[in-house]
């Protein structure tokens, strides 16, 4: 968008991205149709009555990936005698054809057990109230997956916000053309962290410290992007930035939220930060549905 600095250009930008997001969402809905299953059984666990399992070969590595929070629609093959289980329910042939709406908790990769038997990939999903579980134990289901629209809705919300700010700010946020001018800041030189960084890595750490020391209250600053191929020291630079920020002088407490795209990346950062921070300074938040056996012992 060449004229993103004016209202019309920004409007074009937002409209184009809205269209792309809508097409992407529609395409994802179509791709999810290939995950539909017919005549599957639902396995329940008495220890976790509100969860169930469905075996689907290859679902763990499917593309696009099934994500926690995706919806599942399960339809029994035959009418369900709900009147036998729900007080006050009037039997009706049409109303007895029910649809169960569940949510994906996670997918589990298949493996071989100790007997050498192959266990297929599984989908762990939310399930019914314990009173209704016996009703569906003998049923076969047709299953349809529907992708969660949370990310889609967040993107739309970001575009809505973008359309409300000044065009000049929007352009500088999307297409920054110059390095922000910040007051001089000279951090303490006696820190033991970061002495082995190269020039560009040190410049990134310096920018983090300077922006932290002089927060912006009136203008929207573009994000800082640290990028590079594997083995170039991105994680080390990030760790030094965190540790040096925590060492900064000031009366206010510093809280840093570190988000990663995977559990593995978060575990690596936690281990490396744990070499310098105490358990009172470092808190590792786990996803509520992550299996305990997948959490590192340390």
């Amino acid at each position: 968008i060449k004229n993103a600095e004016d209202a019309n250009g920004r409007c074009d930008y937002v409209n184009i991205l809205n269209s792309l997001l809508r097409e992407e969402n529609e395409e994802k809905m179509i791709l999810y149709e290939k995950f539909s299953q017919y005549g599957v059984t639902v396995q329940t666990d008495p220890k976790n009555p509100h969860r169930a399992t469905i075996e689907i070969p290859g679902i763990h590595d499917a593309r696009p990936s099934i994500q926690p929070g995706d919806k599942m629609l399960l339809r029994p093959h035959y009418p369900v005698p709900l009147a036998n289980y729900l007080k006050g329910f009037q039997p009706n042939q049409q109303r007895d054809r029910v649809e169960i709406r569940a949510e994906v908790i996670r997918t589990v990769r298949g493996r071989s057990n100790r007997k050498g038997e192959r266990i297929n990939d599984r989908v762990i999903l939310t399930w019914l109230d314990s009173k209704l579980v016996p009703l569906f134990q003998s049923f076969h289901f047709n299953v349809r997956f529907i992708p969660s629209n949370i990310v889609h809705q967040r993107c739309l919300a970001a575009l809505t916000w973008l359309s409300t700010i000044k065009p000049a700010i929007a352009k500088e946020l999307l297409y920054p053309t110059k390095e922000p001018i910040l007051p001089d800041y000279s951090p303490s030189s006696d820190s033991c962290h970061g002495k082995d960084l190269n020039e560009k890595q040190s410049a990134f750490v310096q920018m983090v410290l300077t922006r932290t020391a002089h927060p912006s209250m009136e203008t929207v600053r573009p994000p800082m992007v640290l990028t590079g191929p594997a083995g170039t020291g991105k994680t080390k630079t990030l760790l030094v930035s965190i540790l040096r920020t925590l060492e900064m002088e000031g009366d206010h407490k510093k809280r840093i939220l570190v988000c990663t795209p995977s559990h593995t990346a978060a575990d690596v950062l936690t281990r490396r930060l744990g070499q310098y921070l105490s358990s009172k300074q470092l808190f590792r938040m786990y996803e509520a549905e992550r299996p305990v056996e997948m959490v590192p012992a340390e």
Side-chain angles (χ1 to χ4, degrees):
I1 305 299
K2 295 182 179 180
N3 57 337
E5 67 274 8
D6 59 45
N8 291 332
R10 182 180 57 179
C11 184
D12 291 340
Y13 182 91
V14 170
N15 289 338
I16 289 173
L17 283 185
N18 265 313
S19 298
L20 292 175
L21 285 170
R22 183 173 62 252
E23 291 180 9
E24 181 185 50
N25 192 57
E26 292 174 354
E27 180 181 6
K28 194 172 185 180
M29 291 283 291
I30 294 173
L31 291 174
Y32 263 54
E33 289 294 336
K34 70 179 181 181
F35 300 142
S36 297
Q37 303 292 313
Y38 303 93
V40 300
T41 57
V42 177
Q43 303 172 10
T44 58
D45 184 355
K47 297 181 180 179
N48 295 297
H50 296 291
R51 295 188 186 183
T53 302
I54 296 178
E55 289 191 5
I56 305 178
I59 195 67
H60 185 78
D61 296 316
R63 294 294 180 270
S65 301
I66 297 295
Q67 299 291 330
D70 287 342
K71 307 302 178 184
M72 297 177 64
L73 303 180
L74 300 93
R75 295 182 179 179
H77 280 190
Y78 304 103
V80 181
L82 293 176
N84 299 339
Y85 287 83
L86 301 178
K87 294 182 180 180
F89 186 87
Q90 298 299 322
N92 180 285
Q93 186 176 4
Q94 296 299 322
R95 292 175 65 182
D96 283 4
R97 293 190 177 276
V98 301
E99 179 179 79
I100 301 173
R101 299 185 180 185
E103 187 172 297
V104 174
I105 297 176
R106 68 179 185 274
T107 60
V108 180
R109 187 187 300 277
R111 56 181 176 80
S112 298
N113 59 21
R114 295 179 179 178
K115 297 180 180 180
E117 300 171 337
R118 180 65 183 176
I119 300 176
N120 290 322
D121 291 0
R122 294 165 290 156
V123 177
I124 312 298
L125 61 145
T126 58
W127 199 231
L128 303 166
D129 184 275
S130 57
K131 296 180 180 179
L132 294 175
V133 168
L135 177 61
F136 293 94
Q137 284 183 342
S138 60
F139 277 86
H140 288 75
F141 296 87
N142 293 340
V143 181
R144 181 186 178 195
F145 289 87
I146 299 177
S148 171
N149 66 347
I150 292 178
V151 175
H152 178 69
Q153 292 297 328
R154 288 175 178 172
C155 291
L156 294 178
L159 288 177
T160 300
W161 171 79
L162 184 64
S163 63
T164 62
I165 64 178
K166 296 180 179 180
I169 296 177
K171 180 183 179 183
E172 190 60 29
L173 180 64
L174 294 169
Y175 310 107
T177 57
K178 56 185 179 180
E179 187 174 327
I181 300 175
L182 297 171
D184 292 333
Y185 174 72
S186 299
S188 174
S189 59
D190 58 356
S191 174
C192 61
H193 305 296
K195 295 186 180 298
D196 57 341
L197 298 182
N198 61 35
E199 181 179 353
K200 291 186 177 180
Q201 293 169 341
S202 298
F204 181 88
V205 174
Q206 175 67 27
M207 179 62 72
V208 171
L209 298 178
T210 303
R211 288 177 61 151
T212 303
H214 303 284
S216 174
M217 302 298 181
E218 299 178 355
T219 60
V220 179
R221 289 175 176 169
M224 296 180 60
V225 180
L226 176 64
T227 184
T232 53
K234 297 186 298 297
T235 302
K236 179 173 66 174
T237 304
L238 180 61
L239 287 169
V240 172
S241 299
I242 294 171
L243 295 171
R244 294 289 297 276
T245 300
L246 293 174
E247 290 177 346
M248 292 176 63
E249 298 178 355
D251 297 331
H252 59 284
K253 294 182 179 179
K254 301 176 183 65
R255 294 183 176 89
I256 302 174
L257 175 64
V258 182
C259 301
T260 65
S262 67
H263 287 302
T264 301
D267 291 339
V268 169
L269 282 171
T270 303
R271 289 192 189 98
R272 295 182 65 172
L273 285 171
Q275 299 175 10
Y276 305 99
L277 303 177
S278 68
S279 58
K280 293 183 178 180
Q281 295 174 297
L282 181 63
F283 177 76
R284 168 71 163 97
M285 179 180 291
Y286 287 99
E287 178 189 357
E289 302 300 339
R290 189 182 188 189
V292 175
E293 60 270 17
M294 298 297 293
V295 177
E298 66 274 20

